[in-house]
Amino acid sequence: MADASPRHRSTVVRVIFLGPPGAGKGTQAARLAAHLGVPKIGTGEMLREAIAKETPLGRKAHPYMEAGNLVPDDLLVALVRERIAEPDCGHGFVLDGFPRTLPQAQGLEEMTGGDPRAWVVFDFEVPRDVLMMRLSGRRWCPRCQATYHVVNDPPERKGVCDVCGTGLVQREDDRETVVAHRLEEYAQRTFPLIEHYRTRARMVPVDGNRPMDVVFRDLLQALEVAA
Ligand SMILES: [Zn+2]
């Protein structure tokens, strides 16, 4: 047997992660993709890469990112369309951060041939106060980019980077008022998407307020994949 074959059974696996910022879905998506032997497609990273490489899409997306605005649906759909046409997506993929709107979901269905019934949509649920605590407690080092959390992953010395000794800062995005706004925006934009998938795909609610390994075991179980 070829060792490059995915560990997953012969069917194509298509997994979508939905969930508010701070729900921990990025970490789980990466781990699941590695476990299944399929690529993780994260639109945030892809956008940053396209911009760095100055691809035609990257050049179009750059002004939106720079101004802190949402990148238009059609640009994101085009980006994902290019990516999933690559041969490594032949056995499927794990999507992280896409789709986030109804038009994006429709674009995805169109490019993959329509029927999302066999897809698994993990919907991460985490209480709002936990999300607030997770996000607003984040700190990072402006010099070496190491990340910390005041409660879950504090540095040895309060407010100082373990790696390089620089004073830690809070990203603008992680300030409490901005976090509240991000959560509000997520709820508003994603609600129609959840409604959309509820009847068209296999929605699996995930309690994201548990230890990472426990959450991961649930994901494997839902996919009927051995740990
Ligand atoms: Zn540092």
Side-chain angles (χ1 to χ4, degrees):
M1 227 200 238
D3 53 346
S5 72
R7 236 185 289 180
H8 192 259
R9 57 205 183 291
S10 58
T11 47
V12 174
V13 58
R14 286 166 174 162
V15 181
I16 292 172
F17 278 78
L18 295 182
K25 58 189 192 309
T27 312
Q28 296 286 353
R31 196 168 161 188
L32 183 64
H35 192 86
L36 296 174
V38 299
K40 183 197 90 143
I41 302 182
T43 40
E45 302 141 48
M46 278 165 61
L47 274 176
R48 283 190 289 275
E49 199 185 306
I51 289 168
K53 285 187 181 163
E54 297 188 15
T55 68
L57 277 172
R59 250 174 277 152
K60 278 189 209 155
H62 194 192
Y64 296 98
M65 299 274 283
E66 207 170 40
N69 291 327
L70 296 171
V71 176
D73 287 335
D74 57 337
L75 276 183
L76 283 172
V77 169
L79 192 74
V80 173
R81 187 191 306 268
E82 274 181 11
R83 180 64 188 87
I84 68 171
E86 289 183 28
D88 65 335
C89 290
H91 292 286
F93 45 79
V94 171
L95 281 168
D96 172 32
F98 182 93
R100 278 205 179 128
T101 66
L102 201 50
Q104 289 174 18
Q106 286 157 345
L108 179 66
E109 276 158 44
E110 190 221 318
M111 73 179 89
T112 49
D115 194 355
R117 258 178 305 183
W119 299 18
V120 175
V121 181
F122 288 122
D123 182 23
F124 277 59
E125 290 160 358
V126 178
R128 194 177 181 282
D129 56 328
V130 175
L131 293 173
M132 287 296 288
M133 191 277 286
R134 285 187 185 172
L135 292 165
S136 62
R138 284 182 183 171
R139 298 291 182 275
W140 74 294
C141 171
R143 182 144 175 242
C144 76
Q145 257 97 69
T147 57
Y148 301 88
H149 190 280
V150 291
V151 180
N152 303 331
D153 184 19
E156 303 247 316
R157 262 177 63 215
K158 193 169 181 277
V160 179
C161 178
D162 290 342
V163 183
C164 70
T166 304
L168 300 178
V169 297
Q170 186 178 38
R171 283 199 172 102
E172 180 59 31
D173 245 22
D174 293 334
R175 291 189 198 283
E176 216 154 310
T177 48
V178 182
V179 167
H181 177 75
R182 283 168 68 198
L183 293 178
E184 186 61 33
E185 191 183 63
Y186 170 81
Q188 276 183 16
R189 297 175 69 211
T190 315
F191 183 71
L193 202 56
I194 290 172
E195 287 301 297
H196 175 77
Y197 282 130
R198 211 186 289 284
T199 53
R200 293 172 65 87
R202 197 175 141 222
M203 281 273 276
V204 179
V206 177
D207 174 2
N209 191 23
R210 294 172 304 162
M212 262 185 357
D213 288 348
V214 179
V215 173
F216 188 64
R217 218 178 308 144
D218 266 16
L219 304 187
L220 295 182
Q221 209 161 37
L223 291 170
E224 294 169 18
V225 176

